[in-house]
Amino acid sequence: DWYDWEESAFEAARTTRRPVLLFIGAAWCRWCKELEREVLSSPEVSSLITERFIPVRVDKDKRPVLAKAHKGDVTSQRVIGFCYRDGSHGFKKDMEKAREWFSKAAVHDDAHAVVGLGIFPLNGTGVPKDATRGILELTRAAMLGSEHGAITVAMELATGAVFQQKDEPEATRWFQFSRKCKWKDSVATCRSRRDEWLRARGLLDED
C-alpha cells in the first residue's frame, strides 16, 4: 500500500529505519500509467518495495509545488521550506525538514531561503543557538538582496546583542543598505524600527 504525502509516512520511515520511495505522478501522464502497469503492479516489485521502502505517492496536480521542488525547482524548494517552518498548507511543522528544503534552495543562492537558514541558529530555533552562524547566513542573504537579512544584521549591530559592542555607524550603514535591497522580504515591525533609527538621525528619505 502506498502512503499519501503525510506525517504517518515519515513516522513509519523513522520507526522502521527504511528510506522513502517517492513516486510523483498524474492521472493524465501516459508514462506514469505505464510504469504503474508494467513495473509497480508486478508482485515481485511490489513485494520488494513493501519490504525495503516506505512508498509515498504524490499527485503532481494536487501538490504541484511539492512535485516541482523534488524535481529541483529552487523557488518551490524554498516555498516547501516555509510550509514546514510554519506548519501551513497541509504540512506539519517540522524545523528539520524546513532547514533541509531551505538548504537545497540556498545552494542556488535563493536569498529568502538563506534568510531562513540564518534565523534558525540566530534564535536557536530547531538547532542549537549559534549567533555567529546566524549572522553569517543573514549577511550572505543581505548581499543577495534580502531586505530582512540586512535589517537583522543592522539591528544586531545597533544592540550589540551578538557582537562584543554596539556599532552605531555600521548599524546605520546596514539600515540604509536595507532600503536599497532588491527583495522586500522583511516585516512591518522590522521596517518600522529601521525607519525610526534613520529618522532620528535625519537620514530617512520620506519619499
Side-chain angles (χ1 to χ4, degrees):
D1 293 334
W2 288 74
Y3 287 87
D4 290 327
W5 183 274
E6 57 191 15
E7 181 58 27
S8 61
F10 303 106
E11 181 60 35
R14 287 189 290 267
T15 301
T16 61
R17 305 179 75 85
R18 281 183 279 169
V20 169
L21 176 66
L22 179 64
F23 175 63
I24 301 174
W28 49 264
C29 176
R30 169 192 170 189
W31 301 113
C32 297
K33 291 179 179 178
E34 287 197 11
L35 179 63
E36 290 191 68
R37 183 175 62 252
E38 301 294 336
V39 180
L40 300 180
S41 295
S42 162
E44 294 83 1
V45 173
S46 179
S47 177
L48 185 64
I49 290 174
T50 302
E51 177 184 342
R52 299 189 180 182
F53 300 93
I54 299 298
V56 176
R57 185 189 303 269
V58 170
D59 186 327
K60 67 179 300 182
D61 290 329
K62 294 181 180 178
R63 286 188 177 266
V65 176
L66 182 61
K68 289 171 67 177
H70 276 287
K71 290 184 178 181
D73 181 76
V74 176
T75 300
S76 298
Q77 290 173 341
R78 178 234 301 162
V79 168
I80 296 300
F82 281 116
C83 288
Y84 274 119
R85 187 198 69 178
D86 301 335
S88 62
H89 297 85
F91 289 80
K92 184 177 180 179
K93 184 177 289 190
D94 188 323
M95 296 305 172
E96 183 177 346
K97 288 186 181 298
R99 286 190 292 111
E100 176 186 337
W101 283 106
F102 283 148
S103 295
K104 291 176 186 291
V107 167
H108 302 283
D109 289 337
D110 182 283
H112 311 291
V114 178
V115 167
L117 286 179
I119 293 297
F120 285 135
L122 183 66
N123 295 336
T125 305
V127 296
K129 190 176 179 66
D130 185 346
T132 301
R133 178 60 185 270
I135 287 296
L136 180 66
E137 294 288 7
L138 288 161
T139 302
R140 177 188 168 202
M143 301 313 294
L144 290 169
S146 167
E147 176 193 36
H148 193 65
I151 290 177
T152 305
V153 171
M155 289 194 296
E156 296 300 334
L157 286 162
T159 62
V162 171
F163 304 99
Q164 292 184 349
Q165 59 185 9
K166 297 179 182 180
D167 190 333
E168 291 194 5
E170 273 299 294
T172 299
R173 189 177 75 82
W174 277 97
F175 276 133
Q176 289 177 308
F177 177 74
S178 74
R179 288 173 55 83
K180 302 175 184 177
C181 286
K182 177 181 180 181
W183 305 111
K184 306 304 180 185
D185 57 347
S186 197
V187 295
T189 53
C190 291
R191 290 189 183 117
S192 178
R193 290 181 63 183
R194 173 196 63 193
D195 292 349
E196 288 174 7
W197 177 280
L198 294 176
R199 187 178 293 111
R201 289 157 180 78
L203 297 172
L204 183 64
D205 181 2
E206 299 289 356
D207 294 337

